Amino acid sequence: MAFIVKQKVHGKDYYYLRKSVREGKKVISKCLGYLGKDKKQAEKKARQIIEKMKKEKSKDTKPASHLGKLKKKVSVMEKQNISIEELATFCRRKGFVYPSGEIYGGFAGFWDFGHLGVELKNNIKRAWWDFHVKQRDDIAGIDGSIITHPKTWEASGHVESFSDIFVVCKKCKKQSKTSKGELGKTKCEFCGGDYDEKTAKEFKLMFEVMVGGDSKSYLRPETAQLIFTNFKSVYENARLKLPCGIAQIGKAFRNEIAPRDFLFRSREFEQMEIEYFVNPKKEVCPYEIPDVEILVYDDEAQEKNQEPVKMKIKESLKKKIIKKDWHAYWLATEFLWFKSLGANPENFRIRQHKKYELSHYSTDTWDLEYKFPFGWKELEGIADRGDYDLSQHEKFSKKDLKVFDSATEKKVLPHVVCEPSLGVERAFLVFMFDSYFFDKKRENIVLKIHPSLAPVKAAIFPIVKTNEKIVKLSKEIYSSLKKDFNVVFDMGGSVGRRYSRADETGIPFCITVDELSLDKKDVTIRFRDSTEQVRIKISEINKTLKNGIEGENIKKFGKLVDTRKK
Ligand code: ATP
């Protein structure tokens, strides 16, 4: 029997459809779906779900054809298109992300990452660093300070012009932000109405801080400037050669006018950035442009109100839609990074900034955009910054920032041909949205996150908790795996219940220790996405997990078993 449950989170009501099911001796409540925030809508949605379930049940009870029998064994994954509020509720419920200062009512634009969120965030950062720094010879990393010399922000132009324009929509009265260049050109993002230009006012985005007694500085609004101020030292000490890059991951702070959409626009966030330097006289990209296809939306198509066109990034360079090979290279590389970690390529496009959108330092900027439930939005900006930053810092510091280019045997002030700049939290949202599935057969959410990003890599279950020998062996396996992986030990409830818990938080592998394990020194390992299970030796678990995390199919590692036959 299904029933509606109201849950209060952060002062707001959320409705869910749940059902009591018996598991062994216990009766537990299982979530059948999220119903939204409105009571009437929730009741309507609940009726629809129950109706659908009844229909499916009657299909299942019909005599099964041979094909039907085979089909029943396979899990039926359905992609769930959830809203940003639903994702926030899920993240809150499962321990990924909490509103910061929640016990005091929350604090707009600030979020805390829970025990699973911190692992996912760290895994995203590690994957980004491995791909962009560790596995390349041309990029070195730094970790700059959050508060630095205030002159940095004068030189970069932030003190003067890092601001947004606060606007109110004449029609729906909602507050929003736009930029100076966009005022009068953009419409309200909620209702398409006009912004009231009379009440529009400038809003400085940098947080000021007092350092010591009387010295004013700022919390950095981007990580990039620390790369520029350290450029010459890093170039020389890391023995870089042009073309080359410097990368950094770290916190950035912006006093956003209207923080919204969960992690998408917050006041404290993290950036993963690269400044890629070239000699302006030798700008040709020596790297192969990854062979990827994506929706391309250039300035002209936007002006003419045309649709974006799907094409290979290489082709858009040939057709001169993308002007520089370096831009094509970095756009394709960044897209490839997301794809290689399981993001859905259909949800991505690249969009060129219109002339009036360009920042003062940029000659050309393309964004990698993602189809969020609230529309296509910037995920990563990739700007051509020229020599703006290094020449500004030369001017303000009166230091020579030119470096020796061994290819031309001359000193040069390099240009930043591309600045791939990605928010960690926006990447976090992409991986959550693209991995959120509902399995009709299992009747629960399955977070199909790439095993290398999954917060917890494996769960270890003793099949029964009453058998001391099984529990002891399970604990030994758990302790040994813990040295190399983030794993959990779970004895709570039936094995089915434990699988559901693991699936919902994206644990890719569940290891079950049973009677046979005691004699044969082997275990069953189950893969989250297919529910397939193989029997492997205890001595092989570590290697199997390592290969599985790298994306190999676990069927390669042992004999497939059908646990229902046992
Ligand atoms: P937007 O137009 O969305 O405000 P932006 O163009 O100001 O973004 P950049 O200055 O290019 O953003 O910052 C680089 C990246 O940092 C963005 O692509 C985004 O991923 C991330 N980012 C910027 N502002 C925020 C924010 N307030 N909250 C979360 N991430 C952010």
Side-chain angles (χ1 to χ4, degrees):
M1 173 79 168
F3 52 91
I4 298 176
V5 173
K6 182 170 83 178
Q7 213 175 323
K8 232 183 178 55
V9 180
H10 199 203
K12 288 187 185 145
D13 294 338
Y14 295 89
Y15 293 89
Y16 294 88
L17 186 65
R18 301 189 77 91
K19 180 175 132 184
S20 296
V21 282
R22 175 167 291 283
E23 281 199 350
K25 285 182 188 164
K26 278 189 188 163
V27 175
I28 59 149
S29 155
K30 219 170 183 179
C31 182
L32 299 181
Y34 172 68
L35 303 174
K37 290 189 274 190
D38 177 77
K39 196 175 170 198
K40 280 216 171 106
Q41 289 293 329
E43 285 166 354
K44 193 171 153 202
K45 207 166 168 187
R47 277 195 296 275
Q48 288 167 348
I49 296 177
I50 294 167
E51 225 20 70
K52 208 169 158 194
M53 275 166 42
K54 273 187 198 158
K55 273 189 201 150
E56 267 155 25
K57 204 168 175 191
S58 71
K59 261 192 239 159
D60 274 2
T61 48
K62 282 181 192 155
S65 67
H66 171 64
L67 202 66
K69 259 187 204 162
L70 273 178
K71 268 192 174 167
K72 272 190 79 178
K73 286 190 179 176
V74 186
S75 59
V76 196
M77 291 278 206
E78 227 182 42
K79 182 76 195 76
Q80 294 280 291
N81 293 324
I82 51 169
S83 68
I84 189 84
E85 290 83 12
E86 286 163 347
L87 182 68
T89 310
F90 174 78
C91 286
R92 165 76 190 79
R93 189 161 57 84
K94 288 287 152 194
F96 281 91
V97 185
Y98 305 111
S100 190
E102 193 179 18
I103 57 168
Y104 297 106
F107 202 39
F110 298 93
W111 299 92
D112 295 336
F113 287 80
H115 72 295
L116 295 179
V118 66
E119 297 290 343
L120 175 54
K121 206 174 169 206
N122 284 342
N123 292 343
I124 292 172
K125 290 192 276 182
R126 196 170 304 120
W128 187 92
W129 194 263
D130 284 354
F131 183 85
H132 293 92
V133 184
K134 206 175 126 201
Q135 289 159 13
R136 299 183 66 121
D137 293 328
D138 58 336
I139 299 186
I142 65 158
D143 183 13
S145 65
I146 284 172
I147 300 170
T148 185
H149 199 292
K151 274 247 169 233
T152 308
W153 307 108
E154 283 175 36
S156 66
H158 282 82
V159 172
E160 173 73 24
S161 59
F162 192 54
S163 55
D164 273 340
I165 305 294
F166 168 85
V167 280
V168 179
C169 173
K170 280 191 201 166
K171 202 164 142 200
C172 72
K173 308 285 175 225
K174 286 207 173 125
Q175 300 178 347
S176 202
K177 68 134 195 172
T178 188
S179 67
K180 274 184 206 158
E182 287 171 300
L183 190 62
K185 296 192 178 86
T186 46
K187 301 274 181 197
C188 171
E189 57 180 311
F190 300 103
C191 71
D194 289 321
Y195 290 128
D196 186 350
E197 288 186 38
K198 277 192 223 135
T199 55
K201 55 178 181 245
E202 195 176 359
F203 194 88
K204 294 273 181 200
L205 293 176
M206 279 203 294
F207 283 102
E208 293 180 2
V209 282
M210 290 311 290
V211 181
D214 54 0
S215 169
K216 186 173 89 178
S217 190
Y218 307 90
L219 294 182
R220 66 181 182 196
E222 62 174 29
T223 58
Q225 293 308 319
L226 280 293
I227 294 179
F228 297 123
T229 52
N230 287 293
F231 166 69
K232 195 169 180 173
S233 306
V234 179
Y235 182 86
E236 289 172 359
N237 291 328
R239 301 174 66 209
L240 290 170
K241 283 193 177 76
L242 294 171
C244 62
I246 301 179
Q248 182 175 205
I249 299 179
K251 290 265 186 185
F253 303 83
R254 295 182 188 179
N255 199 4
E256 294 281 357
I257 294 171
R260 60 167 61 112
D261 296 321
F262 187 32
L263 301 174
F264 180 82
R265 186 170 305 289
S266 39
R267 290 180 165 138
E268 175 177 341
F269 54 98
E270 275 189 271
Q271 289 183 315
M272 305 187 277
E273 291 195 308
I274 298 169
E275 299 303 328
Y276 204 86
F277 300 94
V278 295
N279 183 332
K281 296 215 170 100
K282 278 187 108 254
E283 267 208 15
V284 182
C285 170
Y287 302 114
E288 175 78 18
I289 296 166
D291 192 19
V292 284
E293 198 178 57
I294 194 169
L295 284 171
V296 177
Y297 206 16
D298 70 331
D299 179 17
E300 202 182 315
Q302 292 169 65
E303 279 303 318
K304 293 183 181 161
N305 263 332
Q306 292 166 344
E307 289 296 307
V309 181
K310 198 166 213 180
M311 64 170 87
K312 297 236 164 128
I313 291 189
K314 275 180 184 175
E315 197 190 322
S316 62
L317 177 70
K318 259 194 210 150
K319 289 188 172 164
K320 299 201 168 26
I321 297 170
I322 296 176
K323 305 286 176 310
K324 284 191 182 172
D325 53 359
W326 275 113
H327 235 134
Y329 170 76
W330 276 112
L331 284 162
T333 302
E334 293 310 281
F335 176 47
L336 188 69
W337 181 73
F338 275 102
K339 257 180 78 166
S340 70
L341 290 167
N344 178 359
E346 298 303 315
N347 289 335
F348 289 76
R349 74 177 187 189
I350 53 172
R351 187 185 73 83
Q352 187 178 24
H353 278 208
K354 295 189 213 161
K355 298 275 172 302
Y356 64 79
E357 278 181 85
L358 285 175
S359 310
H360 54 285
Y361 51 75
S362 179
T363 47
D364 194 13
T365 297
W366 283 79
D367 286 344
L368 181 63
E369 293 194 333
Y370 178 80
K371 195 165 40 159
F372 286 97
F374 42 93
W376 285 101
K377 298 278 171 197
E378 172 178 340
L379 180 59
E380 174 166 7
I382 305 183
D384 178 341
R385 293 180 81 118
D387 67 350
Y388 173 79
D389 303 273
L390 287 183
S391 52
Q392 281 292 100
H393 287 299
E394 270 201 330
K395 202 161 104 192
F396 277 71
S397 66
K398 301 191 175 52
K399 299 266 160 44
D400 174 13
L401 298 181
K402 289 171 205 69
V403 291
F404 184 73
D405 178 16
S406 54
T408 55
E409 303 223 314
K410 283 194 181 124
K411 275 186 89 177
V412 61
L413 190 70
H415 283 214
V416 169
V417 71
C418 275
E419 179 206 44
S421 174
L422 169 64
V424 178
E425 289 78 1
R426 289 193 190 175
F428 185 103
L429 292 179
V430 167
F431 292 120
M432 288 300 276
F433 276 125
D434 281 353
S435 56
Y436 195 96
F437 283 76
F438 189 82
D439 190 311
K440 284 193 192 166
K441 184 113 189 5
R442 287 182 246 182
E443 287 188 351
N444 67 272
I445 293 158
V446 181
L447 202 62
K448 283 176 64 179
I449 203 144
H450 192 284
S452 67
L453 296 182
V456 176
K457 304 303 183 199
I460 294 99
F461 309 151
I463 197 150
V464 281
K465 54 184 172 194
T466 44
N467 183 325
E468 272 177 32
K469 284 186 186 158
I470 291 180
V471 173
K472 186 169 172 274
L473 179 59
S474 310
K475 282 193 175 159
E476 280 167 14
I477 293 172
Y478 166 70
S479 307
S480 140
L481 289 178
K482 222 171 158 43
K483 291 178 201 142
D484 296 314
F485 310 98
N486 188 19
V487 289
V488 293
F489 179 80
D490 191 357
M491 286 214 302
S494 68
V495 173
R497 178 79 198 117
R498 286 181 256 170
Y499 280 152
S500 313
R501 251 197 315 262
D503 290 344
E504 265 199 316
T505 53
I507 300 178
F509 305 105
C510 290
I511 297 163
T512 308
V513 182
D514 54 24
E515 287 276 353
L516 286 176
S517 309
L518 300 174
D519 286 342
K520 298 205 163 170
K521 304 273 175 274
D522 60 5
V523 291
T524 313
I525 179 161
R526 166 193 181 266
F527 184 48
R528 174 197 65 202
D529 298 355
S530 61
T531 71
E532 283 171 329
Q533 307 193 18
V534 291
R535 200 77 192 170
I536 56 164
K537 290 282 168 208
I538 292 173
S539 56
E540 298 279 299
I541 302 177
N542 202 300
K543 195 174 90 194
T544 307
L545 275 189
K546 195 169 169 291
N547 291 325
I549 290 165
E550 279 165 16
E552 281 196 47
N553 191 325
I554 63 158
K555 273 194 274 183
K556 270 171 94 177
F557 306 111
K559 230 175 106 199
L560 264 186
V561 286
D562 184 351
T563 47
R564 275 165 298 203
K565 281 188 191 153
K566 278 204 308 184

